[in-house]
């Protein structure tokens, strides 16, 4: 305890002996040191929060915060759609919320039937069923990674006495997508089939899907704006254009080099479904199908009518004599030939999505030559390719995309210098990499820098000062005798206090030095 008191006394005397700027610097250093140490202690011991739930509606967030308050669980709001809790209580809190049925998702589900009232009419039951079905469908669709919020509106079909009076069920799905997210045609079809499968009597064609910006994602084919393409047709067109573009760029990149060619493809498709049934007859290719020939020979008179129908009595004798006079040879030939004309019967079914017209635009870069510039530095100068080389590249592109002149296809290959990119692109990417790394570890780097500054400007100066004071004290202890006049100066000290008090203070502060002074006096008297 005595040593500690002496240390504080010595520090106080050292501080009072400093000038005003030195005092300000010392106080500032001490405050900076205390603040730095306090921040380091806070940074190490502070509570680390982890996201509990995100992308919540304001109603759900209010319900979750109410439960956290009742359970006395610390929380921190991250905007109006997320809440965070201490990291060590993350999974425990999720289990607590699950036991409370949170989060419930969009709308009210079938839990609406958990609170039934006596005397509910059939109309109320039907409305509750519709609300529950809408809420369950909205929750299911909201589980998709791209969907942030969802609402579903259903128009259920009512049973009628006559079938022709019954109206079909319809559904409308309202989606709010996450920033930067996009739904493909297959995903939209999946949502439409999900809704139609969950609702009795609902056809997928009667499902409409739209977004918050008023864009219709999915609707019945031909319901409105028949001239526009459906999402499926648009996806087929985009995929075909992308395939042709990548084919052209991949082929030319091997010839002119990577990153020296760019291409754009525009395809006009015919999505009409056409079925043709035709019979073709060739009159010049007639062939005998069947032939029938009849030959008849007879000798004698030709049979004639006998007698007079008006005569009451026929005289047969006279008739026979007339026939014998007219007897002769009789020949008859009959021939029937059937011909068959050549006929071709065929049915043509043209699948939708055939190419009506194809347009391809290709830009090729280079070559360049290095020439001395005005300042003596080397500069790249665009030279350009020969017309024969450009024509060869154009022929390659035509072969790759299936060029058809009769269809009206167009292919253009141009040799144009690309915009000169700065050669420090690699350096920029490296700089971005280091910036990202700095942002990731900024807290650790800040703590290290703060500790280094505290050591250089606070700890190190104090250590040097105390080391200097210790060296001065050690030098005083090892000196055998004080120089002439040093004892009087030590005893006299400052003129503020009486001499006796100053001597007592000096002896209490440094008894070893006082003993040396007394020994020196005794040697001088001896």
């Amino acid at each position: 305890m005595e040593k500690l008191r002496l240390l504080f006394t010595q520090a106080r005397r050292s501080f009072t002996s400093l000038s005003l700027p030195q005092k300000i610097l010392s106080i500032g250093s001490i405050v900076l040191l205390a603040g730095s140490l306090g921040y380091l202690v806070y940074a190490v011991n502070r509570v680390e929060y982890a996201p509990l739930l995100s992308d919540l509606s304001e109603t759900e967030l209010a319900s979750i915060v109410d439960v956290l308050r009742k359970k006395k669980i610390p929380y921190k709001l991250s905007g109006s759609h997320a809440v965070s809790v201490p990291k060590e209580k993350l999974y425990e809190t999720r289990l607590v919320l699950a036991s409370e049925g949170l989060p419930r998702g969009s709308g009210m589900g079938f839990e609406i039937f958990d609170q039934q009232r006596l005397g509910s009419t059939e109309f109320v039951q039907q409305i509750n069923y519709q609300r529950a079905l809408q809420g369950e469908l909205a929750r299911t669709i909201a589980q998709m990674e791209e969907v942030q919020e969802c609402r579903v509106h259903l128009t259920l079909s009512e049973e009628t006495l006559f079938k022709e009076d019954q109206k079909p069920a319809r559904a409308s799905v309202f989606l709010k997508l996450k920033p930067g997210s996009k739904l493909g045609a297959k995903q939209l079809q999946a949502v439409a089939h999900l809704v139609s499968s969950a609702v009795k009597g609902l056809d997928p064609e009667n499902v409409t899907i739209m977004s918050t910006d008023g864009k219709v994602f999915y609707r019945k084919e031909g319901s409105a704006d028949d001239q526009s393409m459906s999402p499926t047709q648009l996806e087929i067109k985009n995929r075909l254009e992308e395939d042709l573009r990548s084919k052209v760029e991949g082929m030319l990149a091997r010839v002119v080099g990577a990153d020296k060619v760019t291409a754009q493809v525009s395809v006009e498709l015919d999505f009409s479904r056409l079925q043709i049934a035709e019979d073709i007859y060739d009159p010049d290719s007639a062939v005998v199908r069947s032939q029938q020939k009849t030959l008849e020979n007879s000798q004698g008179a030709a049979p004639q009518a006998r007698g007079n129908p008006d005569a009451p009595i026929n005289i047969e004798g006279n008739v026979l004599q007339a026939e014998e006079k007219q007897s002769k040879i009789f020949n008859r030939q009959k021939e029937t030939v059937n011909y068959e004309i050549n006929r071709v019967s065929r049915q043509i079914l043209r699948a939708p999505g055939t190419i009506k017209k194809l347009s391809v635009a290709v830009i090729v870069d280079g070559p360049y030559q290095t020439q001395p510039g005005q300042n003596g530095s080397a500069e790249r100068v665009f030279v350009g390719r020969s017309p024969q080389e450009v024509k060869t590249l154009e022929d390659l592109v035509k072969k790759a995309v299936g060029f058809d002149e009769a269809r009206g296809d167009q292919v253009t290959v141009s040799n144009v210098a690309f915009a000169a990119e700065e050669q420090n692109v690699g350096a920029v990417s490296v700089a971005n990499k280091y910036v990202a790394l700095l942002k990731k570890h900024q807290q650790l780097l800040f703590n290290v820098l703060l500790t280094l500054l505290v050591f250089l400007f606070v700890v190190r100066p104090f250590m040097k000062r105390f080391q200097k004071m210790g060296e001065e004290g050690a030098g005083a202890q090892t000196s055998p005798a004080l120089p002439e006049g040093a004892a009087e100066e030590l005893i006299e000290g400052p003129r503020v206090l009486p001499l006796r008090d100053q001597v007592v203070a000096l002896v209490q502060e440094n008894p070893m030095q006082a003993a040396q002074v007394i020994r020196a006096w005794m040697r001088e008297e001896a």
Side-chain angles (χ1 to χ4, degrees), residues 98-392:
S99 63
E100 297 290 337
L102 295 173
R104 296 187 178 90
S106 302
M108 179 70 70
F110 280 105
E111 63 270 9
I112 193 173
F113 293 102
D114 295 339
Q115 301 176 356
Q116 285 295 316
R117 296 181 180 179
L118 295 176
S120 297
T121 62
E122 183 180 357
F123 176 75
V124 174
Q125 295 287 349
Q126 185 67 20
I127 294 298
N128 289 338
Y129 173 74
Q130 181 175 348
R131 292 177 56 193
L133 192 57
Q134 292 177 168
E136 293 293 339
L137 287 173
R139 291 179 185 178
T140 304
I141 298 173
Q143 296 299 317
M144 299 179 68
E145 185 178 356
E146 296 82 3
V147 179
Q148 182 174 348
E149 293 183 14
C150 174
R151 292 196 66 182
V152 179
H153 302 277
L154 299 177
T155 302
L156 302 179
S157 60
E158 299 179 359
E159 296 183 359
T160 58
L161 183 59
F162 299 100
K163 187 175 181 180
E164 57 270 13
D165 296 337
Q166 186 174 359
K167 296 181 180 180
R170 299 183 181 274
S172 300
V173 181
F174 187 79
L175 298 178
K176 180 180 180 181
L177 302 181
K178 295 180 181 179
S181 299
K182 183 180 178 181
L183 289 178
K186 293 184 178 179
Q187 292 173 306
L188 294 174
Q189 289 180 357
V191 172
H193 284 284
L194 171 67
V195 177
S196 63
S197 301
V199 180
K200 181 180 178 181
L202 178 60
D203 195 345
E205 295 183 351
N206 293 331
V207 178
T208 302
I209 304 175
M210 66 175 297
S211 63
T212 53
D213 55 356
K215 181 179 180 181
V216 179
F217 288 147
Y218 184 91
R219 64 169 177 263
K220 182 179 179 180
E221 299 292 340
S223 58
D225 194 8
D226 293 336
Q227 301 299 326
S228 62
M229 292 188 297
S230 65
T232 304
Q233 295 174 351
L234 185 60
E235 184 181 7
I236 294 174
K237 179 178 181 296
N238 294 336
R239 186 169 63 247
L240 180 59
E241 291 177 348
E242 181 63 24
D243 291 342
L244 293 176
R245 185 191 65 82
S246 60
K247 184 185 296 184
V248 172
E249 290 185 353
M251 179 185 64
L252 296 184
R254 296 179 176 271
V255 179
V256 300
D259 299 332
K260 290 187 177 181
V261 59
T262 179
Q264 290 295 330
V265 180
S266 177
V267 179
E268 184 178 351
L269 299 178
D270 184 10
F271 290 101
S272 60
R273 189 182 299 272
L274 181 62
Q275 184 175 1
I276 302 175
E278 60 181 4
D279 293 335
I280 301 175
Y281 295 91
D282 188 5
D284 298 333
S285 60
V287 295
V288 177
R289 181 177 182 182
S290 63
Q291 184 177 5
Q292 184 178 3
K293 186 176 182 181
T294 304
L295 181 61
E296 182 180 354
N297 297 323
S298 63
Q299 185 177 3
Q304 297 179 357
R306 295 183 179 184
N308 186 1
D310 296 330
I313 299 174
N314 292 328
I315 303 175
E316 185 177 356
N318 294 333
V319 176
L320 292 175
Q321 291 177 1
E323 288 180 356
E324 291 177 357
K325 292 180 180 180
Q326 297 178 0
S327 62
K328 60 180 179 179
I329 299 174
F330 178 77
N331 296 325
R332 185 173 63 178
Q333 184 177 352
K334 182 179 180 181
E335 185 176 358
T336 302
V337 180
N338 295 324
Y339 293 92
E340 187 70 28
I341 300 177
N342 187 22
R343 185 186 68 170
V344 178
S345 179
R346 60 181 179 179
Q347 290 186 353
I348 301 175
L349 179 62
R350 183 178 298 172
T354 57
I355 298 177
K356 294 176 59 178
K357 187 177 180 181
L358 181 66
S359 301
V360 182
V362 182
I363 301 177
V364 181
D365 188 22
Y368 295 87
Q369 288 184 357
T370 303
Q371 297 180 0
Q374 298 180 356
N375 300 330
S377 60
E379 295 181 356
R380 296 179 63 200
V381 179
F382 177 75
V383 179
R385 303 179 186 273
S386 62
Q388 294 80 7
E389 187 176 0
V390 175
K391 184 66 171 59
T392 302

Side-chain angles (χ1 to χ4, degrees), residues 72-91:
K72 297 182 179 180
I73 299 176
Y75 67 91
K76 184 171 64 175
L77 295 178
S78 303
S80 60
H81 298 283
V83 60
S84 302
V85 296
K87 191 173 182 179
E88 62 273 7
K89 296 184 178 181
L90 178 62
Y91 301 104

